[in-house]
Amino acid sequence: MEKKYVRETRCFKTARVFPTDVNNHNTLFGGKLMSYIDDIASIAASKLCRVNTVTASTDSVDFLYPINPTDSVTLESFASWTGRSSMEIFVKVIREDLKTGEKKIAATAFLTFVALDENNRKLIVPRIIPETEEEKKLYETAPDRAAMRKQRREESKKFADFLTVTYPWE
């Protein structure tokens, strides 16, 4: 079984917050940040297995502090755990006030990706080896998140079976 160090999947993205990026509260639009998160997470997933990957779920995006127009936003992403064909990707969002240099964790996110072959069949992904305290903590706590993810997916499928697919005008 192939193994990779977490550091081999790590990637970064830094962006400035422009006036067109903010919402009516004059903070970074959540949808813009979620787009950045999915983008950087997909890169970490690809770096892990070097094949096509797809987002299977966005488990959580926790917005902790607003990101202001005077800030830059840096996203750090890496594989935090792997299953057989799926991988959990962690994204840390750091806001930095460009005038004071103050940094804060503005958001965190967990996403699940699946590795696919050319025929869209699931592939086995490499196991990861955590090294830092942060990586080890995320790795050790991942099985609990995976169990919650599985349960939530089953509940979502049951709920989806209850929902209608007809439009009001039909």
Side-chain angles (χ1 to χ4, degrees):
M1 174 70 60
E2 184 184 1
K3 293 185 179 183
K4 285 192 175 180
Y5 289 101
V6 170
R7 64 179 136 86
E8 295 178 77
T9 69
R10 193 175 306 273
C11 46
F12 297 88
K13 174 185 185 76
T14 302
R16 183 173 207 119
V17 179
F18 288 107
T20 56
D21 298 329
V22 298
N23 57 27
N24 58 319
H25 302 289
N26 203 35
T27 59
L28 182 64
F29 181 57
K32 179 85 168 184
L33 183 58
M34 290 172 70
S35 176
Y36 285 162
I37 288 169
D38 192 45
D39 179 40
I40 195 79
S42 72
I43 295 169
S46 293
K47 289 175 78 167
L48 173 67
C49 52
R50 301 294 180 185
V51 296
N52 291 329
T53 61
V54 293
T55 309
S57 72
T58 300
D59 300 344
S60 67
V61 178
D62 294 315
F63 299 99
L64 306 173
Y65 290 98
I67 300 169
N68 303 304
T70 57
D71 297 334
S72 68
V73 59
T74 299
L75 293 86
E76 177 183 355
S77 180
F78 53 88
S80 51
W81 188 74
T82 54
R84 180 172 165 76
S85 61
S86 66
M87 62 212 88
E88 178 186 80
I89 306 295
F90 175 67
V91 181
K92 178 184 358 174
V93 179
I94 303 166
R95 77 168 201 198
E96 179 179 353
D97 186 305
L98 292 173
K99 293 182 179 175
T100 67
E102 178 191 17
K103 295 178 189 172
K104 281 192 173 190
I105 303 295
T108 59
F110 288 96
L111 296 89
T112 303
F113 283 77
V114 175
L116 301 174
D117 68 12
E118 306 80 35
N119 298 310
N120 290 330
R121 288 187 299 242
K122 293 180 181 180
L123 291 170
I124 296 173
V125 298
R127 298 287 166 241
I128 60 164
I129 304 166
E131 297 176 283
T132 69
E133 290 305 310
E134 184 177 65
E135 292 167 359
K136 289 175 183 176
K137 177 72 170 178
L138 288 165
Y139 185 83
E140 291 165 4
T141 56
D144 290 337
R145 287 189 300 277
M148 288 188 296
R149 190 178 302 125
K150 183 178 180 182
Q151 180 181 352
R152 190 180 64 245
R153 185 169 176 82
E154 289 170 8
E155 290 170 4
S156 290
K157 283 183 177 181
K158 287 178 188 173
F159 184 64
D161 289 340
F162 170 77
L163 300 173
T164 64
V165 293
T166 55
Y167 298 115
W169 57 87
E170 293 182 319

